[in-house]
Each structure stands twice: as C-alpha cells, then as structure tokens.
Amino acid sequence: MYKAAAFAIDNPDVHVLQLVSFGCGIDAITSDEIRSICENNGKLYTQIKIDEVTNLGAVKIRLRSLMAAIEQTSEVKENE
C-alpha cells in the first residue's frame, strides 16, 4: 500500500482506493499512514470495507462520491 501511495503521488491521474476486510491487523496500522501520505500530497484516499457485503448499494455510493471528488479536484487544478 505504501508503494501504491508513492505511485499515486508520482502520477497526476492516480488516487488510492483501498479495499479492506475488518479494518484490523495490518490494515489498522497502514490505513491512517496511507491516508496521511495521500492527503499531504494532494491525493484522494478512499477506504471501503468489504466485510460480508450483501448490499452493494453503499459501495456504489462511495465509488460515485470518489469519482465526483476526483472530477472536482481535476477542475480546481485546471483553473489554477
């Protein structure tokens, strides 16, 4: 995940989406650090928990929100 964050920082059209299960173990440690790395470098970080997902509606909403945020970020950078 740290390499993914570094890749996103080096590539203007890339942001980080992390799928996690339970949010414990290594996810609990790395998630906060990856979020910080991304946000400190102007990148979006989204985490989606996939624990026994039976209703994908919430996941679809998160993904649509992420896409809207990416579009908004791109528009702001174009206007600068």
Side-chain angles (χ1 to χ4, degrees), residues 10-78:
D10 292 337
N11 293 276
D13 295 330
V14 177
H15 297 276
V16 178
L17 169 66
Q18 182 180 16
L19 303 175
V20 298
S21 178
F22 302 110
C24 60
I26 194 72
D27 291 340
I29 297 167
T30 59
S31 297
D32 290 338
E33 185 64 25
I34 293 165
R35 177 184 307 280
S36 184
I37 290 168
C38 290
E39 290 176 354
N40 289 337
N41 289 280
K43 292 294 179 170
L44 297 174
Y45 170 81
T46 299
Q47 181 186 81
I48 297 178
K49 293 185 180 180
I50 55 171
D51 304 336
E52 301 176 18
V53 174
T54 57
N55 178 2
L56 293 178
V59 173
K60 290 178 183 179
I61 290 170
R62 292 287 307 272
L63 292 174
R64 279 192 224 126
S65 297
L66 174 61
M67 294 303 296
I70 290 170
E71 288 176 16
Q72 185 177 29
T73 301
S74 296
E75 290 173 6
V76 168
K77 287 182 180 180
E78 288 176 6

